[in-house]
């Protein structure tokens, strides 16, 4: 009987807790994220409605980058604003085998991030689209010790594609 003397008040207290609201006071801290680019670059103007870039143009651009990869033709294709652009080109020269080739296996997704209109030197107007492309790629090369190597990967490319505005 003495064992159950404490069990009844304990059970009553637990039943009473189900009606109590469990609350805690915490401050909401936002997770820091980069600001979205909403303004067009200086000397350009924003489009009224975004037009998707054709899949053929995007695939062609990614193929050109893959063909230029691990060659001196890649550096002019890279934007001056690319973070550590020289570090990338140096790494390709020093760490990647000379015969390595980049193959695009599949384009998984593409999304137009932003668009703006700008005038060319000849006075014509062109649409500049910033496009994100996710592609499955494969690096192929011959290793002297292990033979032919294939390295699969998934990469995101951010492309600037210019086309006539009309």
């Amino acid at each position: 009987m003495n064992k159950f003397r404490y069990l009844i008040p304990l059970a009553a207290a637990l039943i009473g807790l189900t009606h109590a609201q469990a609350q805690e006071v915490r401050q909401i801290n936002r997770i820091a994220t980069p600001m979205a680019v909403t303004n067009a670059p200086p000397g350009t103007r924003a489009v009224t409605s975004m037009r998707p870039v054709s899949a053929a143009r995007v695939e062609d651009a990614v193929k050109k980058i893959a063909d230029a990869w691990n060659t001196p033709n890649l550096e002019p294709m890279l934007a001056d604003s690319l973070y550590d652009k020289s570090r990338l080109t140096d790494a390709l020269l020093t760490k990647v085998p000379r015969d390595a080739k980049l193959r695009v296996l599949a384009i998984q997704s593409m999304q137009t991030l932003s668009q703006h209109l700008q005038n060319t030197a000849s006075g014509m107007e062109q649409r500049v689209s910033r496009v994100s492309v996710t592609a499955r790629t494969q690096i192929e090369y011959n290793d002297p010790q292990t033979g032919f190597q294939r390295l699969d990967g998934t990469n995101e490319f951010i492309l600037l594609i210019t086309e006539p505005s009309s």
Side-chain angles (χ1 to χ4, degrees), residues 17 19 28 32 38 52 55 60-61 70 72 81 91-92 95 99 102 104 112 134 144 151 158 162 164-165:
L17 284 178
H19 295 288
I28 296 175
T38 55
D60 186 47
N70 203 21
S81 61
L92 285 172
K95 296 182 180 182
D99 66 336
L102 179 68
V104 177
T112 304
T134 305
L151 304 172
I158 304 294
T162 58
S165 65

Side-chain angles (χ1 to χ4, degrees), residues 25-137:
V25 179
R26 291 190 347 181
Q27 184 178 10
I28 296 175
N29 294 323
R30 292 185 154 275
I31 297 173
T33 57
M35 296 296 292
V37 178
T38 55
N39 296 334
T44 65
R45 61 183 207 278
V47 295
T48 54
S49 64
M50 288 205 328
R51 229 176 31 199
V53 179
S54 73
R57 284 189 67 104
V58 172
E59 288 173 13
D60 186 47
V62 172
K63 185 175 178 341
K64 285 180 182 176
I65 291 170
D67 291 343
W69 186 82
N70 203 21
T71 69
N73 300 334
L74 180 65
E75 188 169 0
M77 297 176 116
L78 301 175
D80 293 331
S81 61
L82 178 67
Y83 181 75
D84 275 347
K85 176 181 175 178
S86 61
R87 185 174 174 196
L88 170 65
T89 55
D90 290 346
L92 285 172
L93 286 172
T94 57
K95 296 182 180 182
V96 177
R98 299 262 184 238
D99 66 336
K101 298 290 180 203
L102 179 68
R103 287 186 44 215
V104 177
L105 301 176
I107 303 285
Q108 292 180 326
S109 67
M110 58 186 84
Q111 179 182 9
T112 304
L113 302 174
S114 65
Q115 284 183 338
H116 61 272
L117 300 171
Q118 71 181 22
N119 290 326
T120 62
S122 63
M124 298 198 51
E125 192 172 64
Q126 65 184 7
R127 182 180 298 258
V128 179
S129 304
R130 189 167 168 252
V131 180
S132 169
V133 182
T134 305
R136 284 189 42 240
T137 59

